[in-house]
Amino acid sequence: MKSDFEKTISLDGNWELFYTENRNLVQGEEYKTLFALHHSTLFHVSAQVPGNFELDLMRAGIIDDIFYGENPLLAQKHENFHLWYARTFEFTESSSQNLIFDGVDTFADVYLNGVLIGQTDNMLIAHTMAAKTLKCGINEIVVHIKPVFLESRKHPIGAGCIVHQSYNAESLAVRKAAHMFGWDIMPRILSGGIWKSVRLEEIRKERLEELYLRTVALRPNKAILRLYYQADIKGDFSYEYQLKIEGVCKDSSFEKVIALWNPSGTTHIDLMSPYLWWTKDMGEQNLYEITATLSHFEKIIDRVTFRMGVCKFDLKRSSLADENAEFCFYINKEPLFVRGTNWVPLDALHSRDRERLPRALEILNDSNCNMVRFWGGNVYEDEAMFDYCDENGIAVWQDFAMGCASYPLNGHLCQSLEKEVTAVVKKYRQHPCIAVWAGDNECDEAVALWRKDGLDPNRNVLTRKVIPSVLTQHDPERAYLPSSPYIDERAYASGNPGNTPEKHLWGPRDYFKSDFYTTSPAAFASETGYHGCPAPSSLEKFISPERMWPWQDNPEWQIHATCMELGPQAKYAFRIPLMANQIKVLFDEEPETLERFAKMSQASQAEAMKFFVERFRSGKWKHTGIIWWNLIDGWPQFSDAVTDYYYAKKLAYYVIRRSQQPICLMFREPCGENLELVGANEYLRNVSVSYRVTDMTVDRTACEGVVLLQKNQTTPITITNYFPDGIHFYLIEWSYEGKQGKNYYVSGRAPFSFDEYEQYMKKSGMWEADGLN
């Protein structure tokens, strides 16, 4: 939300960075001023804010590219650095100011003109401090950032805690993005810095402190909205103030004037004939432009503008994946089949997130996803991300920042998390795209399934009490899922707590059509993925020339599979051999060149991802959605991402993009000797489709015709022959309403001939892979 009366002064840009190892710091010694820093023995370089100290050291030539070769391991030597960011600035105003840090990583003391004015202890949220020592003229600011792993030692996690990742037990005690301690998709680079913007903001004596306009109910031809407001006013009598709320979208508008008998309160608004907000393909992304004006008698004190979408998400779920299994999102009372992706860190060094965001958003929208899941090991994304999702009809599943662990349930973490969740919910709740808040990623499974004692995850006060209490207070209508997957009391008591309708499908990954994947009873998959090697043109940007090939006994390949140690005992040493074995299983070949290895690996990934997406989509509404893992890498690596760190799209990206078209024809997996062709329609209207299926192996038309695809359904079309031996490559083409669509299906059992596969993919126009054409 933006106020017309807001005045800010940016402190972004050129700073100075001073640093030293913890063991070199004299106990009790502190540097509060630039004079003290310049007369110290600390190392000193120029710095940028927003930034991370590694980037400053790279620009100064002190360290090499931290992502290249074996350099990721060297980051561990920097973990004990103390950092001092400092700068001067001129201030010429006479008003009181707040100093606001949108993001500091992580534990910091902030000095303004030599006086401590505030401290930070959470990387994930903004921090506001009264700039009481600000003066007219030249001012100086010093920010001392302390080694996070040393700070974490002050808060022992306790015997009840467990972690799934090898490197990140320290993350449980501190509020810092968990992936930075080391994950199966990210390196251990603890980093530090002022990673988001810094500014001075005028403290206004009277203003609109909070506004939240939400949809509480939809009736025939009417929406019931509720406005929460909180004003900061100084007059004795609040009823002398009034708040006017106005909204307009196309030819729809509303207006309401409220006398403030209390500085905070709620009021409802009946909006007749509203324009609703929909996810993409189901309808338009209508957004009302809202203006809220606070007045004292006739004088306007504050005016705030923002956007809101009239929509209502619901989530209906069952406890168990039985014959009545359900896990389904509804938007405006219509069931929503989710075509989604997981969103992981945009960069291991988060000050670069904002510059990477525009291209990543283009890729997200182009992929035909209608939902994105912000995974719990990440930071909370920039608000521009939510604006984009509002505008493009992409629903958001937002995890709170916890993952893959049993966290300490002490008062310290409860208080920290309550403060964090409150800040996050208030910041983002106005966005209509948010479909669900989720308490964490896989923490229920950590408690109930990963540990031998199998405790009840419903004892977790963080996700069962702390977070729900905040949501009840600040966003009461939004759906909430305590964990993903969520093991509720009934599921835990069943004796099979992993039998939930929403699952993370990570089974044996040597072959994607194994029984684990073909027989899973999951109604909804919120994670599943498969390895795909980046193109050689990308590999040469982070692998040294002498280590490009072969993959065997290759330390750089192992490191870039997120092994933060070397040797066969390393936690993720299996990942590169797994990728090679996936090729062996599908094509019965061990490639002798990097170029062929990359092609075959990407083909293996593409076929797996196509199978996952189309298995769920062809089974609509028995299955209600899939959020595959994942869209784009946050550092150069070998991974399940379908777009690499350098934005090169793998074959799987283009395959998924076709499988997620709003109108898509696909084959279900064979039943006996038959292949059933079905058509999926995501529109809220029936669509007439002309189609033709060509068996390119024998160059004949297998079937053709015209079919009426029912709205928001998957419609059976016809049955053709299944050939279990060798490759039969079916090209599926269709047209509707002046639009064209294409898809394909490979019939047969593995292993296949890769040369035949590539031949048919290219002949049909289906071979699209950046750097591998």
mmCIF file of all heavy atoms in Angstrom, residues 504-536:
data_model
loop_
_atom_site.group_PDB
_atom_site.id
_atom_site.type_symbol
_atom_site.label_atom_id
_atom_site.label_comp_id
_atom_site.label_asym_id
_atom_site.label_seq_id
_atom_site.Cartn_x
_atom_site.Cartn_y
_atom_site.Cartn_z
ATOM 1 N N HIS A 504 4.181 -35.433 -0.997
ATOM 2 C CA HIS A 504 5.416 -35.119 -1.707
ATOM 3 C C HIS A 504 5.929 -36.444 -2.257
ATOM 4 O O HIS A 504 6.389 -37.299 -1.502
ATOM 5 C CB HIS A 504 6.439 -34.483 -0.776
ATOM 6 C CG HIS A 504 6.018 -33.136 -0.272
ATOM 7 N ND1 HIS A 504 6.815 -32.349 0.523
ATOM 8 C CD2 HIS A 504 4.884 -32.409 -0.467
ATOM 9 C CE1 HIS A 504 6.205 -31.218 0.805
ATOM 10 N NE2 HIS A 504 5.018 -31.238 0.212
ATOM 11 N N LEU A 505 5.834 -36.619 -3.566
ATOM 12 C CA LEU A 505 6.122 -37.906 -4.192
ATOM 13 C C LEU A 505 7.602 -38.010 -4.549
ATOM 14 O O LEU A 505 8.034 -37.655 -5.650
ATOM 15 C CB LEU A 505 5.255 -38.095 -5.436
ATOM 16 C CG LEU A 505 3.755 -38.253 -5.170
ATOM 17 C CD1 LEU A 505 2.979 -38.350 -6.480
ATOM 18 C CD2 LEU A 505 3.479 -39.473 -4.302
ATOM 19 N N TRP A 506 8.374 -38.474 -3.586
ATOM 20 C CA TRP A 506 9.810 -38.715 -3.799
ATOM 21 C C TRP A 506 10.071 -40.191 -3.505
ATOM 22 O O TRP A 506 10.487 -40.557 -2.414
ATOM 23 C CB TRP A 506 10.649 -37.827 -2.882
ATOM 24 C CG TRP A 506 10.471 -36.361 -3.150
ATOM 25 C CD1 TRP A 506 9.800 -35.458 -2.385
ATOM 26 C CD2 TRP A 506 10.989 -35.624 -4.261
ATOM 27 N NE1 TRP A 506 9.855 -34.205 -2.944
ATOM 28 C CE2 TRP A 506 10.585 -34.279 -4.102
ATOM 29 C CE3 TRP A 506 11.753 -35.968 -5.380
ATOM 30 C CZ2 TRP A 506 10.921 -33.276 -5.005
ATOM 31 C CZ3 TRP A 506 12.082 -34.962 -6.282
ATOM 32 C CH2 TRP A 506 11.675 -33.645 -6.097
ATOM 33 N N GLY A 507 9.830 -41.021 -4.495
ATOM 34 C CA GLY A 507 10.044 -42.445 -4.331
ATOM 35 C C GLY A 507 11.354 -42.870 -4.966
ATOM 36 O O GLY A 507 12.240 -42.046 -5.210
ATOM 37 N N PRO A 508 11.508 -44.161 -5.244
ATOM 38 C CA PRO A 508 12.700 -44.626 -5.970
ATOM 39 C C PRO A 508 12.761 -43.922 -7.321
ATOM 40 O O PRO A 508 11.812 -43.995 -8.107
ATOM 41 C CB PRO A 508 12.443 -46.130 -6.126
ATOM 42 C CG PRO A 508 11.429 -46.467 -5.085
ATOM 43 C CD PRO A 508 10.581 -45.249 -4.932
ATOM 44 N N ARG A 509 13.867 -43.236 -7.596
ATOM 45 C CA ARG A 509 13.894 -42.367 -8.781
ATOM 46 C C ARG A 509 14.745 -42.937 -9.906
ATOM 47 O O ARG A 509 15.261 -42.188 -10.734
ATOM 48 C CB ARG A 509 14.362 -40.977 -8.387
ATOM 49 C CG ARG A 509 13.337 -40.261 -7.515
ATOM 50 C CD ARG A 509 13.501 -38.784 -7.561
ATOM 51 N NE ARG A 509 14.599 -38.327 -6.735
ATOM 52 C CZ ARG A 509 15.135 -37.121 -6.818
ATOM 53 N NH1 ARG A 509 14.681 -36.248 -7.679
ATOM 54 N NH2 ARG A 509 16.126 -36.771 -6.023
ATOM 55 N N ASP A 510 14.896 -44.271 -9.931
ATOM 56 C CA ASP A 510 15.612 -44.839 -11.066
ATOM 57 C C ASP A 510 14.706 -44.961 -12.287
ATOM 58 O O ASP A 510 15.172 -44.955 -13.419
ATOM 59 C CB ASP A 510 16.206 -46.193 -10.709
ATOM 60 C CG ASP A 510 15.147 -47.175 -10.183
ATOM 61 O OD1 ASP A 510 14.054 -46.714 -9.804
ATOM 62 O OD2 ASP A 510 15.440 -48.372 -10.150
ATOM 63 N N TYR A 511 13.366 -45.054 -12.045
ATOM 64 C CA TYR A 511 12.438 -45.119 -13.170
ATOM 65 C C TYR A 511 11.109 -44.522 -12.751
ATOM 66 O O TYR A 511 10.510 -44.911 -11.748
ATOM 67 C CB TYR A 511 12.241 -46.564 -13.640
ATOM 68 C CG TYR A 511 11.385 -46.674 -14.886
ATOM 69 C CD1 TYR A 511 11.616 -45.856 -15.996
ATOM 70 C CD2 TYR A 511 10.342 -47.582 -14.957
ATOM 71 C CE1 TYR A 511 10.837 -45.959 -17.138
ATOM 72 C CE2 TYR A 511 9.555 -47.704 -16.102
ATOM 73 C CZ TYR A 511 9.805 -46.878 -17.184
ATOM 74 O OH TYR A 511 9.028 -46.962 -18.326
ATOM 75 N N PHE A 512 10.625 -43.579 -13.539
ATOM 76 C CA PHE A 512 9.459 -42.787 -13.149
ATOM 77 C C PHE A 512 8.152 -43.554 -13.278
ATOM 78 O O PHE A 512 7.134 -43.109 -12.739
ATOM 79 C CB PHE A 512 9.389 -41.491 -13.969
ATOM 80 C CG PHE A 512 9.496 -41.681 -15.462
ATOM 81 C CD1 PHE A 512 8.386 -41.947 -16.236
ATOM 82 C CD2 PHE A 512 10.730 -41.600 -16.087
ATOM 83 C CE1 PHE A 512 8.485 -42.109 -17.603
ATOM 84 C CE2 PHE A 512 10.850 -41.761 -17.457
ATOM 85 C CZ PHE A 512 9.725 -42.021 -18.232
ATOM 86 N N LYS A 513 8.141 -44.672 -13.994
ATOM 87 C CA LYS A 513 6.914 -45.466 -14.079
ATOM 88 C C LYS A 513 6.957 -46.690 -13.168
ATOM 89 O O LYS A 513 6.296 -47.687 -13.412
ATOM 90 C CB LYS A 513 6.651 -45.881 -15.528
ATOM 91 C CG LYS A 513 6.263 -44.714 -16.430
ATOM 92 C CD LYS A 513 5.784 -45.177 -17.799
ATOM 93 C CE LYS A 513 5.418 -43.994 -18.678
ATOM 94 N NZ LYS A 513 4.920 -44.404 -20.019
ATOM 95 N N SER A 514 7.746 -46.594 -12.105
ATOM 96 C CA SER A 514 7.777 -47.665 -11.116
ATOM 97 C C SER A 514 6.449 -47.694 -10.368
ATOM 98 O O SER A 514 5.648 -46.753 -10.424
ATOM 99 C CB SER A 514 8.933 -47.463 -10.143
ATOM 100 O OG SER A 514 8.732 -46.278 -9.387
ATOM 101 N N ASP A 515 6.214 -48.778 -9.630
ATOM 102 C CA ASP A 515 4.942 -48.932 -8.915
ATOM 103 C C ASP A 515 4.685 -47.781 -7.944
ATOM 104 O O ASP A 515 3.531 -47.396 -7.720
ATOM 105 C CB ASP A 515 4.936 -50.260 -8.149
ATOM 106 C CG ASP A 515 4.823 -51.471 -9.063
ATOM 107 O OD1 ASP A 515 4.472 -51.275 -10.244
ATOM 108 O OD2 ASP A 515 5.094 -52.589 -8.598
ATOM 109 N N PHE A 516 5.749 -47.227 -7.368
ATOM 110 C CA PHE A 516 5.556 -46.141 -6.407
ATOM 111 C C PHE A 516 4.765 -44.998 -7.033
ATOM 112 O O PHE A 516 3.862 -44.435 -6.406
ATOM 113 C CB PHE A 516 6.914 -45.633 -5.916
ATOM 114 C CG PHE A 516 6.818 -44.429 -5.022
ATOM 115 C CD1 PHE A 516 6.592 -44.569 -3.656
ATOM 116 C CD2 PHE A 516 6.936 -43.142 -5.534
ATOM 117 C CE1 PHE A 516 6.486 -43.463 -2.835
ATOM 118 C CE2 PHE A 516 6.835 -42.027 -4.712
ATOM 119 C CZ PHE A 516 6.617 -42.196 -3.367
ATOM 120 N N TYR A 517 5.109 -44.650 -8.263
ATOM 121 C CA TYR A 517 4.452 -43.507 -8.902
ATOM 122 C C TYR A 517 3.136 -43.898 -9.562
ATOM 123 O O TYR A 517 2.177 -43.116 -9.578
ATOM 124 C CB TYR A 517 5.391 -42.889 -9.936
ATOM 125 C CG TYR A 517 6.615 -42.255 -9.320
ATOM 126 C CD1 TYR A 517 7.855 -42.872 -9.404
ATOM 127 C CD2 TYR A 517 6.534 -41.051 -8.640
ATOM 128 C CE1 TYR A 517 8.987 -42.302 -8.833
ATOM 129 C CE2 TYR A 517 7.646 -40.471 -8.064
ATOM 130 C CZ TYR A 517 8.872 -41.102 -8.159
ATOM 131 O OH TYR A 517 9.985 -40.525 -7.585
ATOM 132 N N THR A 518 3.049 -45.093 -10.129
ATOM 133 C CA THR A 518 1.840 -45.461 -10.862
ATOM 134 C C THR A 518 0.686 -45.855 -9.952
ATOM 135 O O THR A 518 -0.478 -45.790 -10.359
ATOM 136 C CB THR A 518 2.129 -46.625 -11.829
ATOM 137 O OG1 THR A 518 2.651 -47.733 -11.081
ATOM 138 C CG2 THR A 518 3.132 -46.205 -12.893
ATOM 139 N N THR A 519 1.006 -46.253 -8.716
ATOM 140 C CA THR A 519 -0.055 -46.706 -7.807
ATOM 141 C C THR A 519 -0.289 -45.774 -6.627
ATOM 142 O O THR A 519 -1.113 -46.076 -5.766
ATOM 143 C CB THR A 519 0.276 -48.108 -7.263
ATOM 144 O OG1 THR A 519 1.489 -48.041 -6.499
ATOM 145 C CG2 THR A 519 0.447 -49.099 -8.397
ATOM 146 N N SER A 520 0.408 -44.648 -6.575
ATOM 147 C CA SER A 520 0.234 -43.746 -5.446
ATOM 148 C C SER A 520 -1.217 -43.266 -5.349
ATOM 149 O O SER A 520 -1.800 -42.831 -6.351
ATOM 150 C CB SER A 520 1.153 -42.530 -5.584
ATOM 151 O OG SER A 520 0.830 -41.554 -4.599
ATOM 152 N N PRO A 521 -1.814 -43.327 -4.157
ATOM 153 C CA PRO A 521 -3.208 -42.900 -4.011
ATOM 154 C C PRO A 521 -3.363 -41.391 -3.804
ATOM 155 O O PRO A 521 -4.463 -40.927 -3.504
ATOM 156 C CB PRO A 521 -3.659 -43.663 -2.765
ATOM 157 C CG PRO A 521 -2.410 -43.748 -1.922
ATOM 158 C CD PRO A 521 -1.276 -43.903 -2.895
ATOM 159 N N ALA A 522 -2.294 -40.642 -3.940
ATOM 160 C CA ALA A 522 -2.355 -39.209 -3.663
ATOM 161 C C ALA A 522 -3.402 -38.525 -4.534
ATOM 162 O O ALA A 522 -3.458 -38.732 -5.747
ATOM 163 C CB ALA A 522 -0.991 -38.572 -3.886
ATOM 164 N N ALA A 523 -4.234 -37.707 -3.900
ATOM 165 C CA ALA A 523 -5.151 -36.866 -4.661
ATOM 166 C C ALA A 523 -4.421 -35.647 -5.217
ATOM 167 O O ALA A 523 -4.788 -35.119 -6.278
ATOM 168 C CB ALA A 523 -6.312 -36.421 -3.770
ATOM 169 N N PHE A 524 -3.369 -35.223 -4.514
ATOM 170 C CA PHE A 524 -2.674 -33.978 -4.853
ATOM 171 C C PHE A 524 -1.195 -34.186 -4.559
ATOM 172 O O PHE A 524 -0.831 -34.662 -3.479
ATOM 173 C CB PHE A 524 -3.237 -32.830 -4.007
ATOM 174 C CG PHE A 524 -2.810 -31.455 -4.432
ATOM 175 C CD1 PHE A 524 -3.680 -30.635 -5.131
ATOM 176 C CD2 PHE A 524 -1.546 -30.957 -4.117
ATOM 177 C CE1 PHE A 524 -3.298 -29.344 -5.513
ATOM 178 C CE2 PHE A 524 -1.164 -29.686 -4.489
ATOM 179 C CZ PHE A 524 -2.038 -28.874 -5.198
ATOM 180 N N ALA A 525 -0.346 -33.854 -5.501
ATOM 181 C CA ALA A 525 1.104 -33.918 -5.288
ATOM 182 C C ALA A 525 1.639 -32.493 -5.231
ATOM 183 O O ALA A 525 1.555 -31.749 -6.208
ATOM 184 C CB ALA A 525 1.797 -34.685 -6.416
ATOM 185 N N SER A 526 2.175 -32.109 -4.079
ATOM 186 C CA SER A 526 2.712 -30.758 -3.940
ATOM 187 C C SER A 526 4.221 -30.719 -4.123
ATOM 188 O O SER A 526 4.816 -29.639 -4.070
ATOM 189 C CB SER A 526 2.328 -30.160 -2.582
ATOM 190 O OG SER A 526 2.442 -31.118 -1.556
ATOM 191 N N GLU A 527 4.848 -31.871 -4.335
ATOM 192 C CA GLU A 527 6.243 -31.957 -4.767
ATOM 193 C C GLU A 527 6.429 -33.260 -5.528
ATOM 194 O O GLU A 527 5.942 -34.304 -5.098
ATOM 195 C CB GLU A 527 7.224 -31.944 -3.587
ATOM 196 C CG GLU A 527 7.418 -30.628 -2.890
ATOM 197 C CD GLU A 527 8.530 -30.701 -1.830
ATOM 198 O OE1 GLU A 527 9.331 -31.672 -1.860
ATOM 199 O OE2 GLU A 527 8.590 -29.797 -0.983
ATOM 200 N N THR A 528 7.133 -33.216 -6.627
ATOM 201 C CA THR A 528 7.677 -34.392 -7.302
ATOM 202 C C THR A 528 8.578 -33.888 -8.418
ATOM 203 O O THR A 528 8.298 -32.846 -9.028
ATOM 204 C CB THR A 528 6.583 -35.319 -7.859
ATOM 205 O OG1 THR A 528 7.157 -36.565 -8.233
ATOM 206 C CG2 THR A 528 5.860 -34.713 -9.047
ATOM 207 N N GLY A 529 9.674 -34.588 -8.651
ATOM 208 C CA GLY A 529 10.614 -34.106 -9.645
ATOM 209 C C GLY A 529 11.569 -35.180 -10.107
ATOM 210 O O GLY A 529 11.492 -36.338 -9.682
ATOM 211 N N TYR A 530 12.495 -34.794 -10.992
ATOM 212 C CA TYR A 530 13.416 -35.731 -11.635
ATOM 213 C C TYR A 530 14.622 -34.960 -12.143
ATOM 214 O O TYR A 530 14.500 -33.819 -12.594
ATOM 215 C CB TYR A 530 12.709 -36.404 -12.810
ATOM 216 C CG TYR A 530 12.993 -37.871 -12.994
ATOM 217 C CD1 TYR A 530 12.498 -38.814 -12.106
ATOM 218 C CD2 TYR A 530 13.734 -38.329 -14.085
ATOM 219 C CE1 TYR A 530 12.722 -40.177 -12.293
ATOM 220 C CE2 TYR A 530 13.959 -39.681 -14.282
ATOM 221 C CZ TYR A 530 13.455 -40.605 -13.377
ATOM 222 O OH TYR A 530 13.676 -41.951 -13.562
ATOM 223 N N HIS A 531 15.772 -35.609 -12.098
ATOM 224 C CA HIS A 531 17.009 -34.937 -12.478
ATOM 225 C C HIS A 531 17.092 -34.646 -13.981
ATOM 226 O O HIS A 531 16.586 -35.427 -14.790
ATOM 227 C CB HIS A 531 18.213 -35.798 -12.092
ATOM 228 C CG HIS A 531 18.722 -35.527 -10.721
ATOM 229 N ND1 HIS A 531 17.924 -35.570 -9.610
ATOM 230 C CD2 HIS A 531 19.966 -35.186 -10.281
ATOM 231 C CE1 HIS A 531 18.655 -35.290 -8.539
ATOM 232 N NE2 HIS A 531 19.883 -35.048 -8.917
ATOM 233 N N GLY A 532 17.777 -33.543 -14.305
ATOM 234 C CA GLY A 532 18.074 -33.210 -15.687
ATOM 235 C C GLY A 532 19.369 -32.417 -15.763
ATOM 236 O O GLY A 532 19.504 -31.375 -15.131
ATOM 237 N N CYS A 533 20.328 -32.920 -16.525
ATOM 238 C CA CYS A 533 21.637 -32.269 -16.620
ATOM 239 C C CYS A 533 21.543 -30.961 -17.396
ATOM 240 O O CYS A 533 20.907 -30.909 -18.450
ATOM 241 C CB CYS A 533 22.620 -33.217 -17.318
ATOM 242 S SG CYS A 533 24.303 -32.573 -17.463
ATOM 243 N N PRO A 534 22.164 -29.879 -16.913
ATOM 244 C CA PRO A 534 22.204 -28.636 -17.703
ATOM 245 C C PRO A 534 22.954 -28.849 -19.028
ATOM 246 O O PRO A 534 23.754 -29.782 -19.167
ATOM 247 C CB PRO A 534 22.962 -27.658 -16.798
ATOM 248 C CG PRO A 534 22.846 -28.225 -15.430
ATOM 249 C CD PRO A 534 22.801 -29.709 -15.603
ATOM 250 N N ALA A 535 22.713 -27.974 -19.979
ATOM 251 C CA ALA A 535 23.415 -28.027 -21.258
ATOM 252 C C ALA A 535 24.902 -27.725 -21.060
ATOM 253 O O ALA A 535 25.267 -26.977 -20.138
ATOM 254 C CB ALA A 535 22.803 -27.024 -22.233
ATOM 255 N N PRO A 536 25.785 -28.287 -21.883
ATOM 256 C CA PRO A 536 27.224 -28.007 -21.765
ATOM 257 C C PRO A 536 27.554 -26.520 -21.768
ATOM 258 O O PRO A 536 28.489 -26.086 -21.085
ATOM 259 C CB PRO A 536 27.822 -28.721 -22.980
ATOM 260 C CG PRO A 536 26.887 -29.865 -23.226
ATOM 261 C CD PRO A 536 25.517 -29.318 -22.904
#
